[in-house]
Amino acid sequence: MIGLVGKPNSGKSSFLKAATLAEVEISPVPFTTIKPNVAIGYVSLECVCKEFNVKCNPRAGFCKNGKRFVPVKIIDVAGLVPDAHKGRGLGNKFLDDLRQASVLIHVVDFSGLTDSEGKPTKGYNPENDIEFLEREIDLWFASVIEKGIKKIGRMVEKVSKTDLVKILAEQLSGLEVKKEDIEKALEKASLSDTQNFARILRKISKPILIAANKIDLKEAQENFERLKDKYNLVPTSAEAEIALKKAAEKNLIEYLPGNGFEIKDESKLDSNQLRVLNFIKKEIIEKYGSTGVQDCLNKAVFEILNYIAVYPVADSKKLSDSEGNILPDVFLVPKGITLREFAFKIHSEIGEKFICGIDARTKKKLSADYQLQNRDVVEIVFAK
């Protein structure tokens, strides 16, 4: 799951609507989001249907012009303010919702027109938001870890590393971190330095991508140029993405998320619609390549989480499932996953009765420990 985080009024709810067209409450009032909004967005990739010269039948998501859009769950949690880890604002609720996410997109108001609590201002430095949000989440991690260590007591010094990881995983289950994340963190930091260990574990288990939002505004563009070499930023305009998707729904433009757009018939547009579309094209698309919303989702899943896309089929010759649907499914899985591990993700029975795999391209048999590659199309043979 992708988590949308940020201070109040940074544009998180607009980003969620832009990514999913979900009906969420959007307002320039801090703490508009009280309960988390959960919706389905899509990451995009080049579909293998073009390579195999077939027309695919997606069971979930869709395919358009050879671009496959695969569903991902997105959660937009309550806005975060300084000292949230102490319970200020909606801090406790925010952090509890946050634990569900595997990667975070920090939506930052890069215009500098809202202060640290989301109230209107001028000349605010968005770098402050980047720093305070990471600090708040790190302090939350540290507080949970400190409580866990107190429960363990002197066992920390007496048990083996393997047992320590197991014990920590149980104590830190509230953070929903994996055992392998804890192992990696212990290699880089000592548990005795709680603050540093917490910061490293958070970076590993809840990595953050920054959406430099409201990039359609001049102030945001200036701040982006100033900070783009210092942070991992994606220039973003959630409002522009909403406008383009709405125009595409009304059949006014041809638009594929993550790309440019073409006006179908200018005579069907009023002067205001034409002005807005021309502004988006000139100030956003031509300058940055896209509105950035799709780029954020793709980067979060494929670059930060390092996931790959795999197509399982029941018949490697026909590229179909048992009902004849062509390339119906795409699974997003961690890079390095083995074929047997993947079989279990499809269904426990398939994993338990696994025999071998068949590569749809080469028709060669694949062993249980074969590491899947991005865009693999595989048939899994199992005992019936």
Side-chain angles (χ1 to χ4, degrees), residues 71-250:
V72 291
K73 194 177 285 187
I74 304 173
I75 181 170
D76 165 33
V77 299
L80 195 69
V81 295
D83 288 335
H85 72 283
K86 297 178 181 177
R88 186 165 177 266
L90 296 172
N92 290 332
K93 184 72 174 72
F94 167 94
L95 296 169
D96 185 56
D97 294 330
L98 181 67
R99 63 186 174 79
Q100 303 171 56
S102 300
V103 60
L104 308 176
I105 296 176
H106 182 188
V107 182
V108 180
D109 177 359
F110 252 62
S111 71
L113 298 178
T114 51
D115 65 17
S116 64
E117 299 189 0
K119 298 172 183 174
T121 189
K122 287 184 179 180
Y124 180 79
N125 184 359
E127 188 172 15
N128 294 339
D129 292 343
I130 296 172
E131 293 174 348
F132 104 74
L133 185 131
E134 289 198 14
R135 184 170 61 251
E136 288 298 328
I137 299 176
D138 290 348
L139 288 170
W140 168 54
F141 260 62
S143 67
V144 175
I145 291 167
E146 284 170 358
K147 289 176 185 175
I149 292 174
K150 282 182 181 178
K151 288 182 180 179
I152 299 169
R154 293 186 178 180
M155 284 178 64
V156 172
E157 301 168 4
K158 297 177 180 179
V159 298
S160 67
K161 185 178 178 181
T162 302
D163 288 337
L164 177 60
V165 169
K166 185 179 178 181
I167 293 168
L168 281 173
E170 291 172 358
Q171 294 298 324
L172 305 182
S173 59
L175 296 174
E176 295 195 10
V177 296
K178 301 172 185 174
K179 284 184 181 179
E180 50 265 39
D181 294 339
I182 295 172
E183 288 173 350
K184 289 177 184 175
L186 285 171
E187 289 172 2
K188 297 181 178 181
S190 169
L191 199 57
S192 60
D193 186 351
T194 308
Q195 299 288 327
N196 189 40
F197 177 77
R199 182 178 57 82
I200 291 171
L201 181 60
R202 195 278 306 158
K203 283 188 174 183
I204 294 170
S205 62
K206 303 267 190 271
I208 298 174
L209 174 67
I210 300 164
N213 197 31
K214 305 185 184 181
I215 203 67
D216 45 293
L217 300 178
K218 182 182 177 183
E219 297 92 338
Q221 294 179 6
E222 290 172 352
N223 283 323
F224 175 76
E225 290 302 316
R226 179 171 60 85
L227 298 172
K228 66 180 182 181
D229 295 328
K230 190 173 180 180
Y231 297 98
N232 187 10
L233 306 177
V234 178
T236 307
S237 174
E239 293 292 346
E241 181 71 10
I242 292 171
L244 292 181
K245 283 184 174 171
K246 291 289 188 184
E249 273 188 348
K250 294 176 182 176

Side-chain angles (χ1 to χ4, degrees), residues 253-267:
I253 63 171
E254 186 68 36
Y255 178 57
L256 199 61
N259 296 275
F261 66 92
E262 293 297 330
I263 295 173
K264 288 190 173 183
D265 185 352
E266 284 195 14
S267 65

Side-chain angles (χ1 to χ4, degrees), residues 289-332:
S290 75
T291 67
V293 173
Q294 189 64 54
D295 292 341
C296 282
L297 299 183
N298 286 357
K299 196 165 187 176
V301 171
F302 295 121
E303 293 184 28
I304 295 180
L305 288 181
N306 205 18
Y307 275 22
I308 60 173
V310 180
Y311 297 72
V313 294
D315 188 327
S316 56
K317 293 178 181 177
K318 296 180 180 178
L319 305 176
S320 67
D321 63 11
S322 58
E323 297 174 355
N325 297 304
I326 307 297
L327 300 170
D329 300 310
V330 180
F331 277 65
L332 301 173

Side-chain angles (χ1 to χ4, degrees), residues 362-375:
T362 65
K363 309 306 178 189
K364 291 181 179 179
K365 285 187 177 182
L366 303 171
S367 65
D369 59 359
Y370 167 75
Q371 287 194 355
L372 288 159
Q373 304 298 309
N374 190 38
R375 302 175 78 249

